[in-house]
Structure formats: structure tokens, C-alpha cells
Amino acid sequence: MKVAVVGATGMVGEVMLKVLEERNFPITELLLVASERSVGKKLTYKNNEYTVIGLADAVAAKPQIAIFSAGGDTSIEWAPKFAEAGTTVVDNSSAWRMDPTKKLIVPEINASELTKEDKIIANPNCSTIQMVMALAPLHEKYKMKRVVVSTYQSVSGTGVKAVKQLENEIAGIDGEMAYPYPIGRNALPHCDVFLENGYTKEEMKLAREPQKIFNDKTFSVSATAVRIPTAGGHSESVNVEFENDFDLADVRKMLHETPGVVVQDNTDTNTYPMPIYAHDKDEVFVGRIRRDETQPNTLNMWIVADNLRKGAATNTIQIAEYLVENDLV
Ligand SMILES: NC(=O)c1ccc[n+]([C@@H]2O[C@H](COP(=O)([O-])OP(=O)(O)OC[C@H]3O[C@@H](n4cnc5c(N)ncnc54)[C@H](OP(=O)(O)O)[C@@H]3O)[C@@H](O)[C@H]2O)c1
């Protein structure tokens, strides 16, 4: 495969290259693409040095697959140009996620929707991916009615500038701010921009994307997204009400048997998911599984994943692998 990685110099881009290498993605030619600022810069993949090129040169090279993580504006402008050149784009930004003509894919759940005609495919939001990974088997068996989620999101989810802000605060350096307030020793109930309805854009992604992924509007999601001073890994407290009652042992067994999900749940040994354990792993970790004692058919869980891996790079590359394995590019 001739593969382009657009946004190769960014935080997600760096993890993309690592995951492509780890999974030995079948690459015959690799194009590393970034903004004009980075053209000519050298990056390494599998011990070989590559020179970063610009978007126009990458389109002209007609790669079979282009993996985008370069922000929404770049995707809006350039993904259609790649698609016109015959390239299949898998996009990490929010640009195409809710476009009714584009598919929103978590491979373990709905990759079978993909066809050769899909030339721009969207990767869901990082917080959505880890939540639906744990909800999918439960929704199938017990049918969700309503989900209430509160997130505890790391600074790496905002990008390089935010990671630097936290590092500067820890080192006592007065530096550039990614957030309107200090993030160290703090919690900001503010991820992405505020919308007219009083929610943030991140919260509305969590509310809308699961309905599209499950192709089901019969359940609803209410979200509060909070930024906390962890370097990497997002955590979520998820309360889910089902149509049907469940048995806790069955819930644990089902999650345990779900590919890509790991149950870490033993209060006797203080075993529960945490960002430091999820770091650099592809799985979604689920624990603190317990019945909500205040209303029927309702479950509480704590879900953690590495936002740069399953939340971004790994999910995107799994989509690309599915396309290759099923002869869809
Ligand atoms: N961080 C996360 O947890 C996460 C999770 C899921 C999805 N995403 C999405 O992934 C994307 C990248 O996020 P990130 O955290 O990796 O950001 P980042 O570290 O700021 O990197 C941005 C990348 O995009 C490139 N870029 C920016 N403007 C460009 C342009 N006009 N033309 C071509 N390339 C351009 C940058 O190139 P230069 O180095 O040349 O500027 C860099 O490679 C965003 O859309 C984000 O929403 C992020």
C-alpha cells in the first residue's frame, strides 16, 4: 500500500507512526505530510529517514490510503481532494463525523458497514470510542435507554500546547497557556468550546456520536466533560440505564469476552482502571462495575483508555487494516 500520514509531525501523528510500525501495516511507500512549516523536516519510520512533504505533493502522489490527523480545517479542505484522486481517507478530526454521507467507525462495532465507495471515513472522538467499546456488548443484550457520562480527560487530548502548559506549571515556569486557567492542581469543566445550549462541543460529541455508531436513536446520552491534570489517558464515569435487567456476573463475563476490552475490577485488591496503566496500550479498561442502587436496570462503570492510541491512532489504523483485509481500497 502507498500510505500518506497527514499530520505526521503532531502528537497523534507520532503515535500513528509507532502503531503502523508495531502492527507491521503493509506499506510499500510512505508519505509523511504536514503543514508548510514542516516541509523538509526529517522523520524516522522503521529506522529509515523520511522527508516531510506538503499536501499538494501528497495528493499528486495518489496514495491508496491517507490517514489524517491534522485538524478539522485541513480535513475539510484536503480530504475531498485526496478522495477525488482515488485515495481513501480515514480522518481523525471532527470534520466529517456527523456528515450523514460519511461513516463513523469503531472497527469492533460497525466496520462491516464499510464499502469500496466510502472514500472519506471518520474516526470518532476519543472519549466516544472508549465508551462505546464497553457499551456495545451490553447494549446488544440489555438495550440502553439512557447514559449519563462524566469524563476526566488528560491534557494530551488538547494537543502539544496543553502538555507544555502542564509541564511548565509543574516546573514553575511562566509559559504559554492552552487553557484559560492553570490546569495543575485544578479541574476544568470545559473541554473544547461552549455551544449555545450551554454544553461544550466535546459533550455534544459524546451525546451524538454513539447514536450514529450504533445506528440507533432510541437511547440518549448526557455528558459532562472535564479536563484534569493527567498527562495521558482519559477516564469516564458511566451510568447506564437499560430496558432490561442484568446480572452483574453476566455483565463482567460479557465485558471480559469482548475483544479490545479488559476488565480490571477487584475491590479486595484495589484493582481498577487508571490512566497510568492504560498508557501506551490499545485496550479499553473497565472496572468499578456495580449496580446503581437508586433505580432499576442501571449500571455504573469506570472506563479508561489511552486517548492517543485506541482514542485516535489505533482505531484509525484498525479501520485502514479492515479496508486492506477486505479489499476495499
Ligand atoms: N490528541 C488527541 O487525543 C486526539 C484524539 C483524537 C483525535 N484528535 C484529532 O487529531 C488531530 C491532531 O491532533 P494532535 O493532538 O496530534 O494535534 P497537534 O499535535 O497540534 O498536531 C497537528 C498536526 O497537524 C498538522 N497541521 C496543522 N495545520 C496543518 C495544515 N494547514 N496543513 C497540513 N498539516 C497541518 C501539524 O503540522 P505542523 O507540525 O507542520 O504544524 C501537525 O502535524 C486533530 O484534528 C484532533 O482533533 C486528537
Side-chain angles (χ1 to χ4, degrees), residues 51-63:
T51 304
V52 173
I53 61 170
L55 279 155
D57 287 344
V59 173
K62 295 185 183 294

Side-chain angles (χ1 to χ4, degrees), residues 5-17 31-44 50-53 69-70 160:
V5 177
V6 179
T9 53
M11 237 164 56
V12 175
E14 194 185 325
V15 181
M16 291 276 192
L17 294 181
L31 308 167
L32 299 186
V33 189
S35 78
E36 290 305 317
R37 297 179 289 274
S38 302
V39 170
K41 203 174 158 181
K42 307 284 185 204
L43 293 176
T44 305
Y50 290 80
T51 304
V52 173
I53 61 170
S69 56
V160 181

Side-chain angles (χ1 to χ4, degrees), residues 243-254:
E243 298 275 359
N244 304 305
D245 200 9
F246 54 83
D247 179 80
L248 269 187
D250 287 344
V251 167
R252 283 205 183 85
K253 185 166 179 284
M254 252 188 312

